[in-house]
């Protein structure tokens, strides 16, 4: 399976073009149905002549040069009903396509074998591999076409009793198979016509805190299958925090919690995700949220001027703190092969007090030694984050960090390629998202007002609802409920729904799965197409229930 690259999706085209050609009507629509007429295929053959309304295949195609003859009457097809909704559908008249025993999935390129086998198994078809012949009922997967070279775009054509899904890369073809799967599961038949589809945002994620609450490998794998069908392409794993370190380690086994995932289990998770074009993005949060590391290395714990230990924070003036974190980053680079890495950087307790330099004189002294007489604890902390970014960059990863790990008044500037994971505006000196965007930063949307599912609803958090996300949130709503100006849209790479396990016992993992079901679907819709949805919330919810 080739690794897919991310590109910004092209602008959406007009949604209401009409064309009359070859005796067949084609209308680009959102949803709707036309009047019945005699229908003819674009190749001169009767539309639907190869497959009838019952879905049975016609095994005797018309001879070359034969004159077309009228078929039964079909209404103009409706757009597919899927989550997320397709961006464009050109309607046609015909019976559509439904799977039947013995029919084939074929591919035009060997690199699409994984996609072909998966959809064949899901629809009860036979995977026949690379084939050049054409049979009634075929589903053909092919490379080529797409929208502006976007590797996540695809075209799906349902015509003449067959389906062809094509895209410039295997990722787009995979997403086309997700559309086909949902069409069949939701209504039994893929409607006649042509779908052109591509995501609005290149990063569509789900983040899971397994540090505070361990989740079984099987539960995580079930979420990956769910995410793949919804066209998500990132799974974030926050596996280190004060409450636990949840993945086996060879370099520092002393920090690993009793209840953890083995590397073999993680590899299986990563491989399953890759098969569904999902990149697993690891997060070892530092220099705060390292309580599990400190428990095994108490000498690294940050202490204030009075000698009082600071919870979860390592002393970044000590070389041993950087050494152990870099050991871990290097070790797990081999386990997580994707191109992204989350460095955390949030809630370093030394910077949550009014006078960090007075409260933590050892940090102030280290800052002045490294960066000059006017340097601050914020400078030292920014330098720490830059050093960790350099470590993951050496492994060809793009770093990201929480927005409260970026500081306004530091003379040391955060690395230019560091992506801002914007989640809050509650920290001291909080800045509006537009400040990061105006500085040219790329931003990911983790808005805690809409996208944070925090177990037990501590502090001011409440469980987010799918309806609120669906009706009020877009990727431009980065903080609170206000959208940033449209001119920044291209800098917002996408977003992520997040489950945080602050009160781990508040819900079982099955309750979490049920609680996030509709929020995940609503988020998927708004990341794929941030415009006003065609369906009402009630219709969207009914569709989700029908699709399963």
């Amino acid at each position: 399976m080739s690794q897919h690259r991310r590109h910004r999706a092209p602008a959406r085209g007009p949604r209401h073009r009409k064309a009359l050609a070859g005796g067949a009507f084609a209308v680009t629509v959102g949803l709707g149905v036309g009047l019945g007429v005699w229908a003819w295929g674009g190749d001169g053959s009767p539309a639907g002549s190869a497959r009838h309304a019952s879905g049975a295949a016609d095994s005797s195609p018309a001879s070359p040069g034969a004159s077309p003859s009228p078929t039964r009457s079909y209404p103009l097809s409706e757009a597919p009903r899927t989550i997320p909704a397709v961006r464009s559908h050109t309607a046609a008249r015909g019976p559509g396509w439904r799977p039947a025993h013995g029919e084939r999935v074929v591919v035009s390129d060997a690199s699409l074998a994984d996609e072909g086998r998966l959809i064949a198994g899901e629809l009860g078809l036979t995977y026949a591999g690379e084939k050049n012949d054409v049979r009634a009922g075929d589903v053909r997967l092919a490379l080529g076409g797409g929208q502006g070279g976007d590797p996540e775009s695809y075209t799906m054509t349902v015509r003449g009793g067959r389906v062809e899904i094509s895209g410039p890369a295997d990722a787009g073809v995979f997403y086309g198979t997700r559309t086909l799967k949902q069409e069949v599961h939701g209504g039994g038949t893929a409607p006649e016509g042509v779908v052109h589809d591509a995501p609005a945002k290149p990063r569509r994620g789900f983040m899971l805190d397994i540090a505070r609450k361990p989740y079984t490998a099987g539960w995580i794998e079930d979420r990956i299958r769910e995410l793949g069908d919804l066209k998500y392409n990132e799974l974030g794993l926050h596996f280190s925090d004060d409450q636990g370190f949840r993945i086996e380690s060879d370099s520092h086994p002393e920090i690993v919690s009793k209840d953890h995932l083995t590397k073999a289990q993680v590899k299986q998770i990563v491989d399953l995700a890759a098969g569904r074009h999902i990149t697993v993005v690891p997060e070892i949060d530092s220099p705060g949220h390292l309580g599990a590391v400190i428990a095994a290395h108490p000498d690294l714990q940050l202490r204030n001027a009075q000698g009082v230990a600071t919870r979860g924070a390592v002393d970044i003036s000590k070389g041993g703190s950087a050494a152990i974190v870099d050991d871990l980053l290097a070790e797990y680079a081999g386990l997580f092969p994707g191109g992204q890495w989350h460095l955390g950087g949030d809630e370093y307790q030394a910077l949550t007090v009014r006078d960090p330099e007075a409260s933590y004189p050892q940090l102030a002294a280290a800052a002045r030694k490294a960066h000059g007489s006017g340097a601050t604890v914020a400078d030292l902390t920014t330098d720490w984050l830059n050093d960790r970014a350099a470590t993951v960059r050496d492994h060809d990863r793009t770093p990201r960090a929480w927005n409260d790990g970026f500081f306004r008044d530091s003379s040391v500037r955060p690395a230019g390629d560091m992506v801002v994971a914007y989640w809050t505006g509650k920290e001291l000196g909080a800045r509006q998202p537009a400040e990061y965007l105006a500085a040219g930063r790329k931003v990911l949307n983790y808005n805690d007002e809409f996208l944070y599912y925090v177990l037990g609803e501590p502090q001011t958090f409440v469980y987010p609802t799918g309806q609120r996300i669906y009706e009020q949130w877009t990727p431009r709503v980065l903080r609170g409920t206000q959208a940033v100006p449209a001119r920044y849209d291209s800098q917002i790479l996408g977003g992520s729904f997040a489950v945080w396990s602050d009160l781990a016992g508040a819900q079982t993992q099955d309750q979490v799965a049920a609680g996030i079901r509709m929020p995940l679907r609503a988020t998927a819709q708004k990341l794929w197409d941030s415009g006003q949805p065609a369906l009402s919330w009630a219709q969207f919810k009914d569709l989700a229930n029908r699709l399963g």
Side-chain angles (χ1 to χ4, degrees):
M1 175 80 53
S2 63
Q3 289 295 316
H4 51 297
R5 295 171 296 165
R6 306 293 176 213
H7 296 281
R8 187 177 158 206
R12 296 173 61 185
R15 296 181 67 87
H16 296 288
R17 295 191 303 264
K18 294 186 180 181
L20 177 62
F25 288 99
V27 184
T28 302
V29 295
L31 297 169
V33 62
L35 300 175
V37 298
W38 296 117
W40 306 88
D43 59 359
S45 61
S49 61
R51 295 180 65 83
H52 306 291
S54 65
D58 183 348
S59 60
S60 50
S63 60
S67 299
S69 58
T71 69
R72 59 177 293 174
S73 175
Y74 292 104
L76 197 64
S77 62
E78 293 186 347
R81 294 290 187 103
T82 60
I83 298 175
V86 301
R87 304 287 292 277
S88 171
H89 176 250
T90 302
R93 300 187 189 279
W97 178 91
R98 68 170 62 223
H101 179 72
E103 290 177 346
R104 309 182 305 174
V105 174
V106 298
V107 299
S108 299
D109 191 286
S111 67
L112 298 174
D114 288 348
E115 288 76 16
R117 289 191 181 95
L118 180 61
I119 190 64
E122 290 169 332
L123 298 184
L125 304 176
T126 299
Y127 176 68
E130 289 185 80
K131 300 291 182 184
N132 292 321
D133 62 317
V134 176
R135 294 185 187 175
D138 275 355
V139 174
R140 177 172 292 277
L141 310 184
L143 294 177
Q147 299 183 33
D150 182 346
E152 294 192 309
S153 67
Y154 68 92
T155 298
M156 183 172 72
T157 303
V158 179
R159 180 186 298 139
R162 294 182 292 274
V163 179
E164 178 169 311
I165 299 171
S166 63
D170 51 358
V173 174
F174 171 73
Y175 295 136
T177 66
R178 301 306 86 194
T179 295
L180 180 63
K181 176 185 176 182
Q182 286 195 28
E183 288 176 329
V184 171
H185 284 190
T189 301
E192 202 86 3
V194 181
V195 168
H196 293 289
D197 205 10
K201 293 298 179 183
R203 303 211 181 281
R204 306 175 302 280
F206 169 61
M207 188 169 202
L208 179 64
D209 170 12
I210 65 172
R212 296 178 177 93
K213 178 182 179 69
Y215 291 79
T216 65
W219 189 92
I220 297 171
E221 289 168 1
D222 284 344
R223 299 291 72 70
I224 289 170
R225 295 182 184 96
E226 181 179 15
L227 295 172
D229 283 353
L230 295 170
K231 302 185 175 82
Y232 281 88
N233 61 13
E234 283 192 354
L235 168 64
L237 286 183
H238 175 93
F239 63 91
S240 170
D241 213 303
D242 297 342
Q243 294 83 353
F245 192 98
R246 300 293 179 182
I247 296 179
E248 175 187 0
S249 172
D250 299 317
S251 66
H252 290 281
E254 73 279 2
I255 70 173
V256 179
S257 301
K258 181 179 179 181
D259 195 346
H260 66 271
L261 298 174
T262 67
K263 285 189 174 181
Q265 288 174 315
V266 174
K267 184 179 186 304
Q268 186 168 319
I269 287 167
V270 169
D271 289 347
L272 179 67
R276 284 160 170 77
H277 296 271
I278 295 170
T279 298
V280 181
V281 182
E283 182 194 4
I284 298 175
D285 202 346
S286 78
H289 295 282
L290 284 173
V293 171
I294 292 168
H297 296 272
D299 57 305
L300 299 181
Q301 185 157 34
L302 178 66
R303 295 180 179 274
N304 68 12
Q306 289 73 44
V308 177
T310 303
R311 185 173 184 267
V314 294
D315 188 332
I316 59 176
S317 70
K318 295 182 176 181
S321 297
I324 193 169
V325 173
D326 282 347
D327 285 347
L328 295 168
L329 295 175
E331 176 181 358
Y332 291 112
L335 188 60
F336 297 99
Q340 307 294 313
W341 200 288
H342 203 315
L343 296 171
D346 65 312
E347 297 180 323
Y348 188 47
Q349 296 301 304
L351 290 166
T352 62
V353 297
R354 290 294 175 184
D355 190 347
E357 287 70 36
S359 295
Y360 298 96
Q362 76 276 33
L363 299 185
R368 291 191 295 270
K369 180 178 180 180
H371 303 293
S373 60
T376 66
V377 174
D379 290 316
L380 189 70
T381 308
T382 300
D383 193 44
W384 164 282
L385 198 60
N386 285 345
D387 285 346
R388 308 293 77 75
T391 298
V392 300
R393 200 181 294 113
D394 286 344
H395 295 280
D396 299 317
R397 305 300 196 270
T398 298
R400 69 182 64 163
W402 299 113
N403 63 286
D404 51 331
F406 295 73
F407 307 108
R408 175 189 282 128
D409 299 323
S410 61
S411 59
V412 177
R413 309 307 299 165
D417 63 341
M418 195 118 60
V419 175
V420 178
Y422 200 98
W423 73 281
T424 186
K426 301 181 179 71
E427 76 277 15
L428 289 173
R431 288 178 285 169
Q432 293 290 336
E435 285 197 42
Y436 300 90
L437 294 163
R441 290 279 177 188
K442 301 291 187 183
V443 175
L444 285 163
N445 191 325
Y446 291 79
N447 187 337
D448 66 347
E449 174 80 14
F450 288 92
L451 305 179
Y452 264 33
Y453 191 97
V454 184
L455 296 194
E457 301 181 303
Q459 303 176 55
T460 59
F461 290 107
V462 295
Y463 292 130
T465 68
Q467 182 173 2
R468 190 160 182 253
I469 295 167
Y470 189 77
E471 295 178 344
Q472 300 180 31
W473 180 81
T474 74
R476 284 173 44 211
V477 180
L478 286 160
R479 173 177 172 176
T481 59
Q482 295 297 117
V484 299
R487 65 179 178 274
Y488 294 127
D489 187 66
S490 65
Q491 291 174 240
I492 302 170
L493 301 178
S496 184
F497 189 85
V499 170
W500 295 102
S501 307
D502 290 41
L503 300 176
Q507 290 189 342
T508 67
Q509 62 181 19
D510 289 339
Q511 288 173 322
V512 173
I516 66 176
R517 182 176 178 275
M518 288 309 299
L520 276 179
R521 282 151 179 78
T523 305
Q525 173 61 43
K526 302 304 279 289
L527 289 170
W528 193 264
D529 183 349
S530 57
Q532 182 66 32
L535 300 181
S536 69
W537 170 250
Q539 291 170 324
F540 184 83
K541 189 174 181 180
D542 287 346
L543 175 61
N545 291 336
R546 187 162 72 251
L547 295 177

